[in-house]
Amino acid sequence: DTSDFGMSLVSSLKAFNSAGKLATWLVVPLDFAHYISVAALSGFRFHHAEGDTATMVLWMRPNEPSRIPPFATHQVGVGGLVVRGGPDDNPEDPHVLVIREAGRNYTNFKLPGGLCDVAEDFGDAAVREVREETGVEAEFSRILTMRHQHGMQFGRSDIYCIALLRATSVDVAIDTNELEDARWMKLSEFRENSPHEMVEHAIQAATGEGGAVGLQEKELKSVVPGRVPYKLYYATSGAIAK
Amino acid sequence: DTSDFGMSLVSSLKAFNSAGKLATWLVVPLDFAHYISVAALSGFRFHHAEGDTATMVLWMRPNEPSRIPPFATHQVGVGGLVVRGGPDDNPEDPHVLVIREAGRNYTNFKLPGGLCDVAEDFGDAAVREVREETGVEAEFSRILTMRHQHGMQFGRSDIYCIALLRATSVDVAIDTNELEDARWMKLSEFRENSPHEMVEHAIQAATGEGGAVGLQEKELKSVVPGRVPYKLYYATSGAIAK
C-alpha cells in the first residue's frame, strides 16, 4: 500500500500547492512507519515525534523562509527551598530541607527538586518532587530565582526555578536508591556550606534581605476564549508581601 | 537489509539485557526510516525527532517504571517593554514601543516579542525580536514578569517573560505583512489602554512602583567542567538596582 499512499500524497500536495497552502502536516502512527520513507521522497521532514506518533511537515514555498512553528525548545526544572517554620522553629534561623544524592561525586548537600511534567505548574512540581524525594509535605509560597542554561540534554535548553515552600510535615523518609541522605539543617549552617551563588540569591529573596522577595504567583484568565487560566509570576518587595 | 537489521537488533538487545542495561537508544536517519517499523517490533517507541533524524528508545525493564529522561516540554517566548529614555524623553512618563499585528481580530496595541531560539538568552531574544518587528535597536536591562501557560502548541507548555529594554535608536520601520502599526506611545497612554494585568505588573516592576523592580541578570560559571556559563535571574528591589 506504500505506492498507493505515495501517489495519493503527490496528488494531494499538488492540490494544496494550487490552493496556496504554506505547509502540509503529516501525522504518522508507528504502525504506518513505512509511510515515512515515502513522505521523505516528497520532501517531508520530521517536526517532532513521541511514543507511537511521528509528526512530519513540508514547507510548501521553498523560495521563502519557513514560518513553521518550532517544537518545544526547553525543559523546566524546579528546586524547593523548604522551610520548617513550625512553633518549635526559630524564625530568625529556620531549618531548611537538604538532600545528598546517592552515587554522585558531588557530595555537597543541595535542594530537593526535579523536572516539571508537561502542564504542571512550578509550585506543584516543587511540592511533588519534595514529597517524592523526602516524604515531607509542603505548600508553595513564591518563586525566588530563575536560571537559564543551554546545551543540556538532547541539545535543548533548561530553565530552573527555585521555589520557596513552607513545610506542613516534619518527618523525613528517603528512598536510599536515589538519596544518600536528607535532613533538616539550620539555614545558617546550609548557607555556610552552600557553594552556589544561585542558592545564596534564593536565600536572600527568601529572607527578604535587601528588600526583594522574589516573584509572587497569581492566576489570570486567558483572553483567548476556552483556554485554561494561567499563572503569572510578578516581582514583589518585602514591603508588599512576605 | 531490514531483515539483517532486525536480526542484529534482536541479538544486540539480548546482549544489552544480559549486561543489565536500563534503556537502549536508537538514532534513525530519515534515509533509514524503513528501520523504524523493524525497531517497533522489538518494542522501541519514538522519544523525539527533528529534521532528518528520529530518536527511538526502549526501556529494558518492563516491570519497573521508566526512568527515561523526557524530551523538551516547553517553548519560551519573550516580550520587550522598550523605553526610549533619550534626552528628549520625559523620565516621569517615558515613551514605550507598541505594535499592532496585521490580520488579527485582537486590535489592541501590545508589546513586540516572539519565541526564543534554541540556546538563545531571554535578553538576546527580546532585542532580536524588537529589531525584526520594529527596526528599533535596544539593550536588555532586566526581566520584569514571567507567565506559565499550558496546553499550547503541540500540547506543550509555554513560558513567557517580559523584559525591560532601553532603546538605543528611535526610528520605527515595520514589515506591513506582519504588522499593521508600530509606534512610540506615552507610557501613561499605553497604561490606560492596556487590557492586561500581566503588562500592568511588568510596568510596575519597570517603574519600581511598590519597591520591586524584577529580576536582574548575572552570568555564572557552571560547576560542571567544560559546560558553558549560564544566566541567573534574581530578585532585586528598587533600593538595589534601577
Side-chain angles (χ1 to χ4, degrees):
Chain A
D1 58 344
T2 52
S3 74
D4 285 354
F5 171 71
M7 283 187 293
S8 134
L9 187 62
V10 167
S11 72
S12 297
L13 288 176
K14 271 186 192 154
F16 295 162
N17 219 4
S18 307
K21 282 209 182 275
L22 293 173
T24 303
W25 294 85
L26 191 64
V27 178
V28 186
L30 193 51
D31 288 344
F32 291 81
H34 48 289
Y35 285 3
I36 290 174
S37 306
V38 183
L41 292 177
S42 288
F44 281 87
R45 292 292 174 269
F46 290 116
H47 184 267
H48 65 279
E50 191 175 31
D52 287 328
T53 312
T55 300
M56 304 183 77
V57 70
L58 173 63
W59 176 244
M60 311 280 281
R61 300 198 180 167
N63 298 326
E64 293 176 25
S66 163
R67 295 205 297 274
I68 293 165
F71 190 61
T73 50
H74 285 69
Q75 47 190 355
V76 174
V78 60
L81 184 71
V82 191
V83 296
R84 204 157 74 177
D88 59 332
D89 203 33
N90 174 8
E92 298 302 311
D93 188 13
H95 284 84
V96 296
L97 185 62
V98 294
I99 65 165
R100 190 143 58 183
E101 289 175 323
R104 297 274 173 128
N105 294 324
Y106 180 72
T107 56
N108 271 312
F109 281 101
K110 51 177 272 188
L111 301 177
L115 290 178
C116 285
D117 292 333
V118 170
E120 186 179 40
D121 283 328
F122 300 132
D124 295 339
V127 166
R128 176 184 54 74
E129 286 284 348
V130 165
R131 184 193 304 118
E132 288 174 6
E133 290 189 340
T134 69
V136 171
E137 298 289 341
E139 285 170 358
F140 173 64
S141 170
R142 55 184 194 267
I143 297 291
L144 302 171
T145 59
M146 173 168 61
R147 185 187 71 186
H148 197 197
Q149 199 164 14
H150 304 301
M152 307 297 285
Q153 267 191 155
F154 314 114
R156 266 26 204 181
S157 298
D158 185 288
I159 288 174
Y160 172 77
C161 292
I162 297 182
L164 179 63
L165 308 183
R166 299 193 184 283
T168 56
S169 79
V170 171
D171 290 347
V172 172
I174 62 170
D175 175 350
T176 50
N177 289 317
E178 299 282 330
L179 297 188
E180 195 176 285
D181 194 7
R183 64 168 75 165
W184 293 102
M185 187 180 274
K186 284 260 179 204
L187 178 60
S188 56
E189 186 189 342
F190 179 52
R191 216 163 172 173
E192 276 161 30
N193 291 298
S194 167
H196 261 298
E197 211 173 327
M198 177 172 61
V199 173
E200 177 58 25
H201 278 295
I203 292 171
Q204 286 173 15
T207 56
E209 287 170 40
V213 299
L215 302 174
Q216 191 164 340
E217 183 187 79
K218 181 186 278 189
E219 187 168 285
L220 294 181
K221 282 184 187 165
S222 174
V223 294
V224 180
R227 186 174 286 164
V228 294
Y230 61 91
K231 295 294 194 300
L232 173 72
Y233 300 87
Y234 63 101
T236 54
S237 76
I240 296 176
K242 259 288 187 186
Chain B
D1 58 343
T2 50
S3 72
D4 286 354
F5 170 71
M7 285 187 294
S8 131
L9 187 62
V10 167
S11 70
S12 297
L13 288 176
K14 272 186 191 153
F16 294 162
N17 219 4
S18 308
K21 282 208 182 275
L22 292 174
T24 303
W25 294 85
L26 190 64
V27 177
V28 187
L30 194 50
D31 287 344
F32 290 82
H34 48 290
Y35 285 3
I36 291 174
S37 306
V38 183
L41 292 176
S42 287
F44 281 87
R45 292 293 174 267
F46 290 116
H47 184 267
H48 64 278
E50 190 176 32
D52 287 326
T53 311
T55 300
M56 304 183 77
V57 71
L58 173 64
W59 177 242
M60 310 281 282
R61 301 199 179 166
N63 298 325
E64 293 177 25
S66 163
R67 294 205 298 273
I68 293 164
F71 190 60
T73 49
H74 286 69
Q75 47 189 354
V76 175
V78 60
L81 183 70
V82 191
V83 296
R84 204 157 75 179
D88 60 333
D89 204 32
N90 174 8
E92 298 302 312
D93 188 15
H95 285 84
V96 297
L97 185 61
V98 294
I99 64 165
R100 189 141 59 181
E101 289 175 323
R104 297 274 173 126
N105 295 326
Y106 180 75
T107 55
N108 271 314
F109 281 100
K110 51 177 274 189
L111 300 178
L115 290 177
C116 285
D117 292 332
V118 170
E120 187 179 39
D121 284 326
F122 301 132
D124 294 339
V127 166
R128 177 184 53 73
E129 286 284 348
V130 165
R131 184 193 304 119
E132 288 174 6
E133 291 190 339
T134 70
V136 170
E137 297 289 340
E139 284 169 0
F140 172 65
S141 171
R142 55 184 192 265
I143 298 290
L144 301 172
T145 59
M146 174 168 59
R147 185 187 72 186
H148 197 197
Q149 199 164 13
H150 304 302
M152 307 299 285
Q153 267 191 154
F154 313 115
R156 265 28 202 180
S157 298
D158 185 288
I159 288 174
Y160 173 77
C161 292
I162 297 181
L164 179 63
L165 307 183
R166 299 193 182 283
T168 56
S169 78
V170 172
D171 290 347
V172 172
I174 61 169
D175 175 349
T176 50
N177 289 318
E178 300 283 331
L179 296 188
E180 193 176 286
D181 195 6
R183 65 168 74 166
W184 293 102
M185 186 181 275
K186 284 260 179 203
L187 178 60
S188 56
E189 186 188 343
F190 180 52
R191 217 163 170 172
E192 277 160 30
N193 291 297
S194 167
H196 261 299
E197 213 174 325
M198 176 174 62
V199 172
E200 178 58 25
H201 277 296
I203 291 171
Q204 286 173 15
T207 56
E209 288 169 39
V213 299
L215 301 175
Q216 190 165 338
E217 182 186 80
K218 182 187 277 190
E219 188 168 285
L220 293 181
K221 281 184 189 166
S222 173
V223 294
V224 180
R227 185 174 289 165
V228 294
Y230 61 90
K231 295 294 196 298
L232 173 71
Y233 299 88
Y234 63 102
T236 54
S237 76
I240 295 175
K242 260 289 189 187

